[in-house]
Amino acid sequence: MRLNVGGYIQYKFLQHFTVKGELGYDYKTVHTDRFYGPTTYMARTNCNEKGAGVVTDEFNSKFRETFTFNWDQTFNSAHHASILVGQEILMNQGWNTKQTFIGFDGTMAGPDVFKHLGSASSVTSNNYINPTDNMLSFFARANYDYK
């Protein structure tokens, strides 16, 4: 499942000033069930020619916030100047899990394996929590045009 939402609000005041705020959120989860039958490469090299099931789960969440302040003005119909200042925050987090079930009866296949995960002769599990990935930044820009 994936959800991606974004939006902004903008307000102009005193003829030359604009304030803008943006928000964004991205949410993603993935669940995967994989079966490896007794004739597959994985079963022959890792499972003594018995079936294997691999269950993986992934979660990612990202948040973004941006705030800008802009001044824009034209002087004497020939000089145009603008200044923009702002800040942005990014926050990311996530994790992954992988469970491998080895040694199923050779008569089970596909969806049946995932109903009988407890009958596997060996189970391995890997859990990984993504490192914190947060950022706070400030930025500015100044433009001048002469016509």
Side-chain angles (χ1 to χ4, degrees):
M1 180 182 102
R2 183 160 200 159
L3 172 68
N4 191 335
V5 181
Y8 76 95
I9 188 166
Q10 180 173 302
Y11 179 67
K12 293 184 179 189
F13 62 98
L14 297 178
Q15 188 175 5
H16 302 290
F17 296 97
T18 304
V19 176
K20 184 176 181 181
E22 297 180 44
L23 293 174
Y25 182 71
D26 185 19
Y27 171 88
K28 180 176 91 169
T29 60
V30 178
H31 175 84
T32 306
D33 293 332
R34 289 194 179 135
F35 171 69
Y36 297 91
T39 59
T40 62
Y41 177 78
M42 180 178 176
R44 289 183 182 200
T45 57
N46 299 320
C47 310
N48 296 326
E49 296 187 10
K50 292 189 176 183
V54 177
V55 177
T56 58
D57 288 300
E58 177 185 346
F59 167 80
N60 287 305
S61 174
K62 299 176 182 179
F63 173 77
R64 180 181 66 86
E65 176 269 325
T66 306
F67 178 78
T68 59
F69 181 79
N70 190 37
W71 171 76
D72 192 357
Q73 188 163 1
T74 301
F75 303 97
N76 298 330
S77 301
H79 304 278
H80 177 256
S82 68
I83 297 173
L84 178 124
V85 295
Q87 64 86 30
E88 182 174 46
I89 296 173
L90 300 174
M91 295 185 294
N92 299 324
Q93 64 181 7
W95 52 263
N96 298 314
T97 63
K98 179 181 179 181
Q99 296 175 317
T100 305
F101 301 86
I102 296 173
F104 289 101
D105 178 9
T107 61
M108 282 195 278
D112 293 336
V113 168
F114 299 101
K115 293 177 186 173
H116 301 93
L117 291 176
S119 67
S121 61
S122 146
V123 177
T124 59
S125 181
N126 296 321
N127 295 317
Y128 179 74
I129 298 173
N130 298 343
T132 302
D133 184 16
N134 297 334
M135 181 183 75
L136 170 65
S137 64
F138 297 93
F139 53 90
R141 179 193 75 212
N143 290 337
Y144 171 77
D145 296 325
Y146 180 74
K147 295 180 182 181

